[in-house]
Amino acid sequence: MNAEEYFAKIPDGHGKAMARPYNPATDRRLRDMIAKANQNGDCIINNGNGIFRPVPGDPEDERQFAQYLRKELARARAILYKRIKMKEAFKGWKNGILFKD
């Protein structure tokens, strides 16, 4: 099955969550498609128990959705922190200062 077929079969609700594709190339393509869909008004998550669209009003779906958003925020903060530290290191190198930490 290709990524487009997987994408078309993404279910609603955690109870029907779909496993990620075994093929790494298909998995990468599917994750790219999910990311683009989420940037364009969709809501597809994967908390490690499968891929699905959370159903509003379902307590478990809402819990997993909140957990997913917390993880995404933590990832974003980690990327921003890394960016700051890299920028500081580069500036130090540019000014002839070597950092050891």
Side-chain angles (χ1 to χ4, degrees), residues 68-81:
Y68 180 86
L69 291 181
R70 285 191 302 273
K71 287 179 183 180
E72 286 290 288
L73 182 57
R75 287 183 192 111
R77 286 179 174 151
I79 290 168
L80 290 173
Y81 180 76

Side-chain angles (χ1 to χ4, degrees), residues 3-87:
E4 289 77 10
E5 292 169 322
Y6 273 98
F7 188 85
K9 292 182 180 186
I10 295 173
D12 294 338
H14 72 281
K16 300 175 187 174
M18 177 178 77
R20 288 172 54 181
Y22 179 74
N23 180 295
T26 302
D27 183 57
R28 176 76 253 161
R29 173 79 176 117
L30 177 61
R31 288 186 290 130
D32 286 344
M33 291 173 71
I34 290 169
K36 286 180 183 163
N38 284 341
Q39 291 169 354
N40 289 299
D42 209 334
C43 183
I44 302 167
I45 66 171
N46 179 6
N47 279 343
N49 298 321
I51 301 166
F52 66 97
R53 288 180 176 91
V55 176
D58 181 300
E60 181 60 19
D61 282 11
E62 290 193 11
R63 185 191 70 75
Q64 288 193 35
F65 178 61
Q67 179 185 36
Y68 180 86
L69 291 181
R70 285 191 302 273
K71 287 179 183 180
E72 286 290 288
L73 182 57
R75 287 183 192 111
R77 286 179 174 151
I79 290 168
L80 290 173
Y81 180 76
K82 176 184 78 171
R83 181 185 177 279
I84 289 167
K85 291 302 182 182
M86 290 175 69
K87 193 173 178 180

